[in-house]
Amino acid sequence: MSQRNEVTGQPRPRLIPLPEEQWDARTRELLAVTPHDAGNRIPNIFTTLVRHPDLYERFLPFGGQLLLRGRLPEELRELLILRTAWNTGARYEWGRHLPLARAAGLTDADIDRITEDPETPGWTGLQRHLIRAADELNREATMSDATWEALADHFGDAELIEITMLVGQYHMVAFFLNATGVELDPGFDIPRS
């Protein structure tokens, strides 16, 4: 069993963020284009992942495409990301995306509902289908015909591809975050469950 942080109660990281005094020229260059938090702080996900600079260099453009330049409306993108974080138990992913979800228009009631069954009252039909898609992709690594067809009534081919890639990418990120124990950054704390 992993040791727990006395303050947060979360498992201690297996990999810590690479300390700045260990950054070489390439690391500095890679992290220079990374999104920074308040106070010019670089999020722990990036300072941990940069321990594998070749992978980091290729990961950032793909993740950025889905997060910043994707075709899905922000609200739907964040709904899928939060459901994926919930399905995988990715505390870091959940905590980092809560502010983005709220900024995209998800309400606190929507966010609470993300942790419940897709049939919970309050969802629109489209939101319900997206929750089902995230759940099915998480469980079976595919979508049922019924879910695919329901989404195809709302989206074109590119958006359907993006839905699967978005859930898959955030599933992969959850594997990394959970396995390495990346700690949630200051200012993004969420209540202990």
Side-chain angles (χ1 to χ4, degrees):
M1 187 156 142
S2 62
Q3 293 181 338
R4 298 213 168 255
N5 179 307
E6 293 174 15
V7 175
T8 65
Q10 297 303 306
R12 291 196 186 273
R14 290 179 172 150
L15 293 176
I16 62 167
L18 188 65
E20 190 169 357
E21 59 270 11
Q22 294 180 24
W23 296 0
D24 59 17
R26 182 174 183 211
T27 300
R28 288 186 190 289
E29 182 180 320
L30 289 170
L31 292 174
V33 297
T34 298
H36 288 52
D37 288 339
N40 207 30
R41 187 179 184 292
I42 300 174
N44 290 338
I45 186 175
F46 300 125
T47 53
T48 304
L49 186 57
V50 80
R51 288 179 170 280
H52 190 322
D54 294 335
L55 188 89
Y56 177 92
E57 186 172 35
R58 284 151 186 86
F59 165 81
L60 207 57
F62 181 70
Q65 174 63 39
L66 290 169
L67 185 63
L68 304 173
R69 294 174 296 282
R71 293 182 180 213
L72 295 174
E74 290 177 43
E75 178 183 347
L76 301 181
R77 177 197 70 217
E78 292 303 321
L79 176 73
L80 286 166
I81 293 170
L82 285 180
R83 185 61 172 208
T84 301
W86 178 258
N87 283 337
T88 58
R91 185 177 190 278
Y92 187 99
E93 199 166 76
W94 181 272
R96 289 298 304 204
H97 280 271
L98 277 177
L100 298 174
R102 287 183 175 116
L106 289 172
T107 65
D108 287 340
D110 293 333
I111 291 166
D112 289 343
R113 218 172 17 257
I114 288 170
T115 68
E116 299 174 15
D117 186 89
E119 298 309 315
T120 299
W123 290 127
T124 66
L126 177 56
Q127 290 170 325
R128 186 171 282 112
H129 298 311
L130 288 166
I131 294 288
R132 273 195 209 104
D135 291 355
E136 290 172 5
L137 287 164
N138 180 64
R139 283 190 313 266
E140 288 99 29
T142 191
M143 275 187 243
S144 67
D145 288 341
T147 299
W148 180 269
E149 289 166 15
L151 291 175
D153 287 342
H154 296 276
F155 298 111
D157 294 349
E159 290 81 11
L160 291 167
I161 291 168
E162 189 169 309
I163 289 166
T164 63
M165 296 298 280
L166 180 74
V167 171
Q169 195 262 1
Y170 278 90
H171 206 125
M172 177 188 68
V173 170
F175 290 165
F176 163 71
L177 293 167
N178 291 345
T180 61
V182 175
E183 287 186 314
L184 192 54
D185 305 285
F188 292 87
D189 296 327
I190 54 177
R192 281 193 241 180
S193 51

